[in-house]
Amino acid sequence: MATWSNLGIQDANSPLMEQLIFFHDHTLMILTMITVLVGYMMGTVLYNKLINRYLLEGQTIELIWTILPAFTLIFIALPSLHILYLMDEMNNPAVTIKSIGHQWYWSYEYSDFHNVEFDSYMKPNNELEMSDFRLLDVDNRAVLPMNTQIRLLVTAADVLHSWTIPSLGVKIDGTPGRLNQGSILINRPGLLFGQCSEICGANHSFMPIVVESVSMNQFINWLKNN
């Protein structure tokens, strides 16, 4: 979850989000170098009083400033495509859960286990405890095992929704009549917060998502109690 005065990206809780942060930093360095170079060239042109009256056309320099941006785009496109394919990869999931978006709450179904399903509503202000987060905590958290390949199926019962956890690098649209699939692998235990990221009506900002990452033993005990 983002903390006070945090101007950057949330800490990664999955290998996919780590790759996305690396790609963000990689692209930002390229943009910084381009900005510095172009700024320096503009400054020299503005303050340089020398004029080359023979420089009416230059095939060489035109070739250079055509090829250099092409190489720059290649350096951005290759890691971007790599991450794009990683996001669609599905490696033998051990657990499958289904998330259904409603106006305005989420329903979860653990398809691999018998009769494990529940609704997840945002906690109203008058029911919050001291340790809860206003507008972010829910009455029933989605409990998931860490270091386990998880397949997430997302759909919606009424309008468009979007199941989003920023620290996992996951954002899957929930479309009525359609199942969208995503892959999750959580690195460490803890609480992961997110919200619906698709404008879905009047209470769009009041359907948060809370994932509780636990060990496999704790996950099995939780299943037994449900």
Side-chain angles (χ1 to χ4, degrees), residues 2 36 39 71 73 83-84 105 112 117 122 133 141 143-145 150 157 159 164 166 169 172 203 211-212 220:
V36 170
F71 277 111
L73 291 176
I83 295 175
L84 187 64
Y105 64 95
D112 300 316
E117 55 184 58
M122 186 190 77
F133 294 100
R141 296 167 177 167
V143 179
L144 297 177
I150 301 166
V159 297
T164 306
I172 307 172
N203 292 328
V211 170
E212 184 174 353
I220 293 172

Side-chain angles (χ1 to χ4, degrees), residues 39-92:
Y40 171 76
M41 293 174 66
M42 291 178 65
T44 55
V45 167
L46 288 174
Y47 293 102
N48 189 357
K49 299 184 184 301
L50 299 176
I51 298 174
N52 186 346
R53 61 194 180 94
Y54 296 106
L55 193 62
L56 298 178
E57 105 176 33
Q59 300 291 340
T60 305
I61 191 65
E62 289 179 4
L63 183 66
I64 291 173
W65 72 45
T66 302
I67 291 177
L68 281 182
F71 277 111
T72 304
L73 291 176
I74 290 173
F75 277 110
I76 295 175
L78 290 180
S80 175
L81 290 172
H82 174 67
I83 295 175
L84 187 64
Y85 280 101
L86 280 179
M87 293 174 73
D88 283 337
E89 193 69 27
M90 189 65 58
N91 296 316
N92 297 324

Side-chain angles (χ1 to χ4, degrees), residues 3-195:
T3 56
W4 297 112
S5 303
N6 184 10
L7 300 179
I9 302 172
Q10 295 182 23
D11 292 338
N13 283 298
S14 69
L16 178 60
M17 190 59 191
E18 289 175 0
Q19 292 297 319
L20 288 171
I21 292 176
F22 292 152
F23 174 67
H24 168 269
D25 296 342
H26 166 76
T27 308
L28 206 60
M29 284 301 300
I30 293 176
L31 291 176
T32 302
M33 290 188 291
I34 293 173
T35 303
V36 170
L37 178 62
V38 173
Y40 171 76
M41 293 174 66
M42 291 178 65
T44 55
V45 167
L46 288 174
Y47 293 102
N48 189 357
K49 299 184 184 301
L50 299 176
I51 298 174
N52 186 346
R53 61 194 180 94
Y54 296 106
L55 193 62
L56 298 178
E57 105 176 33
Q59 300 291 340
T60 305
I61 191 65
E62 289 179 4
L63 183 66
I64 291 173
W65 72 45
T66 302
I67 291 177
L68 281 182
F71 277 111
T72 304
L73 291 176
I74 290 173
F75 277 110
I76 295 175
L78 290 180
S80 175
L81 290 172
H82 174 67
I83 295 175
L84 187 64
Y85 280 101
L86 280 179
M87 293 174 73
D88 283 337
E89 193 69 27
M90 189 65 58
N91 296 316
N92 297 324
V95 179
T96 299
I97 70 167
K98 182 180 179 182
S99 178
I100 306 169
H102 302 269
Q103 289 183 314
W104 286 273
Y105 64 95
W106 295 96
S107 296
Y108 295 97
E109 298 176 3
Y110 288 69
S111 309
D112 300 316
F113 310 99
H114 179 65
N115 203 25
V116 180
E117 55 184 58
F118 53 87
D119 296 331
S120 180
Y121 289 87
M122 186 190 77
K123 277 190 177 181
N125 291 339
N126 58 351
E127 295 180 10
L128 289 177
E129 300 177 5
M130 290 297 293
S131 59
D132 292 338
F133 294 100
R134 179 176 173 271
L135 301 182
L136 280 178
D137 257 305
V138 296
D139 54 359
N140 292 310
R141 296 167 177 167
V143 179
L144 297 177
M146 65 178 185
N147 296 325
T148 304
Q149 197 71 43
I150 301 166
R151 175 170 56 189
L152 177 66
L153 303 176
V154 180
T155 186
D158 32 50
V159 297
L160 292 175
H161 297 280
S162 186
W163 199 93
T164 306
I165 300 285
S167 62
L168 292 179
V170 174
K171 186 175 189 292
I172 307 172
D173 287 342
T175 308
R178 177 173 175 173
L179 276 179
N180 289 328
Q181 178 177 265
S183 179
I184 301 174
L185 193 146
I186 307 174
N187 283 341
R188 54 178 180 263
L191 293 179
L192 313 175
F193 293 88
Q195 287 179 306

